[in-house]
Amino acid sequence: MKAAKPTIEIYATPDDVYRAAAKKFTRIAHDAITQHGQFTVALSGGSTPQALYALLADTPYCKQIDWRKVHFFWGDERAVAADHPDSNYRMADETLLKKLDVPQNHIHRMPADEDDLNQAAWNYQHEIAEVFNISSNDAPPHFDLILLGMGDDGHTASLFPHTEALHENVRWVVANYIPKLDNWRMTFTSNLISQAAHIIFIVTGKNKAAIFENVLHGIYQPDQLPSQLARKACGKTFWLIDNNAAGALHSNQ
Ligand code: 6PG
């Protein structure tokens, strides 16, 4: 299936980006629950999405989704305990999850703190397969939504430039050693990300402008710019960015 062109939406401020993201999140969730009885979403980590999660936990958005029908996953996680300050799980739990009525067995923390990270990645793949009611040997499922950020080196999730995980062609989730950080991560692979019905990148800040321009319009070199893997996405890809991250692109707001 040919990848659809991404939709780029440029907003004046980060707050406008978060509001737009909250509206899209809510619409996608509502449509998914209406169409197939549940909403499967993979959250992104880092600092950018925190304000979005806080918005979703507040009115009006928190009243617009039947949270009991939502399954939360993570697109990547650091190799730290759930209560560690660097944990993507902890950030989402504090800003969003603990304020919502989400069944505990619908919160699927990525176990990146286990000793055997390779086995833990397989276990997470089995956990995903169970929610989609498929075998973990099947082709990757279609998440209703995968939220992604982008680092100023062009990484997304924990798919960092020139790392092993970029060349994984079968598995949905893998452990990935990041030489520049000298630590391990667990991450969705591009096989899984590319199958999502919707991908929303949220990118703000001047420090992302140069790399964003390269990711969007530069030559296709995903080993150097992993966020370019989104060009292979089968579903709808949205880039929600602020004027600062848009840099040379003209603001359409
Ligand atoms: C992580 C994220 C990562 C993040 C980018 C951007 O675990 O750090 O999943 O992919 O989205 O690094 O991070 P900021 O939003 O902090 O700029």
Side-chain angles (χ1 to χ4, degrees):
M1 178 199 287
K2 184 153 171 26
K5 262 170 72 66
T7 302
I8 318 292
E9 296 181 5
I10 303 171
Y11 294 91
T13 67
D15 283 347
D16 296 331
V17 171
Y18 302 134
R19 269 190 292 276
K23 283 194 187 107
K24 273 187 179 32
F25 184 106
T26 311
R27 181 181 52 71
I28 294 167
H30 177 270
D31 293 352
I33 291 167
T34 305
Q35 287 156 21
H36 50 263
Q38 68 178 20
F39 172 51
T40 51
V41 56
L43 301 178
S44 66
S47 56
T48 303
Q50 294 183 35
L52 166 61
Y53 300 160
L55 211 47
L56 289 169
D58 203 352
T59 50
Y61 304 103
C62 65
K63 302 262 186 264
Q64 294 172 355
I65 297 175
D66 181 355
W67 297 104
R68 293 163 306 168
K69 302 271 177 60
V70 181
H71 280 274
F72 286 97
F73 291 86
W74 277 259
D76 73 316
E77 184 56 278
R78 293 85 180 274
V80 295
D83 60 356
H84 191 282
D86 291 348
S87 161
N88 289 336
Y89 163 81
R90 172 175 154 171
M91 181 272 281
D93 187 46
E94 288 183 345
T95 52
L96 177 62
L97 300 177
K98 67 183 183 187
K99 300 172 184 173
L100 302 176
D101 172 26
V102 182
Q104 202 48 44
N105 66 348
H106 282 207
I107 297 175
H108 307 276
R109 183 179 81 86
M110 193 178 247
D113 53 338
E114 295 194 7
D115 293 339
D116 183 343
L117 265 188
N118 179 56
Q119 185 54 54
W122 273 119
N123 295 343
Y124 201 62
Q125 181 159 326
H126 299 324
E127 191 168 340
I128 292 169
E130 228 172 277
V131 168
F132 284 90
N133 199 19
I134 59 174
S135 156
S136 54
N137 298 317
D138 288 343
H142 305 286
F143 270 81
D144 295 306
L145 173 60
I146 294 180
L147 290 175
L148 293 173
M150 183 186 69
D152 57 12
D153 60 355
H155 82 262
T156 191
S158 282
L159 298 171
F160 283 77
H162 311 299
T163 56
E164 278 293 298
L166 290 171
H167 310 295
E168 172 57 50
N169 295 315
V170 177
R171 293 175 67 174
W172 314 345
V173 186
V174 291
N176 196 28
Y177 179 69
I178 319 296
K180 78 182 258 192
L181 303 176
D182 188 21
N183 68 20
W184 285 87
R185 299 277 190 100
M186 190 180 291
T187 185
F188 277 12
T189 60
S190 61
N191 309 321
L192 182 54
I193 292 170
S194 65
Q195 295 305 311
H198 303 84
I199 292 172
I200 297 179
F201 279 92
I202 303 175
V203 182
T204 61
K206 274 193 175 23
N207 66 316
K208 307 278 178 83
I211 203 81
F212 174 68
E213 172 68 18
N214 231 338
V215 162
L216 202 70
H217 294 138
I219 56 161
Y220 185 63
Q221 44 178 339
D223 216 54
Q224 178 67 33
L225 298 169
S227 295
Q228 286 186 332
L229 287 165
R231 294 189 191 181
K232 305 283 183 201
C234 302
K236 290 199 185 88
T237 300
F238 298 92
W239 287 85
L240 305 186
I241 65 174
D242 70 347
N243 277 342
N244 283 335
L249 290 180
H250 293 293
S251 161
N252 61 8
Q253 297 305 317

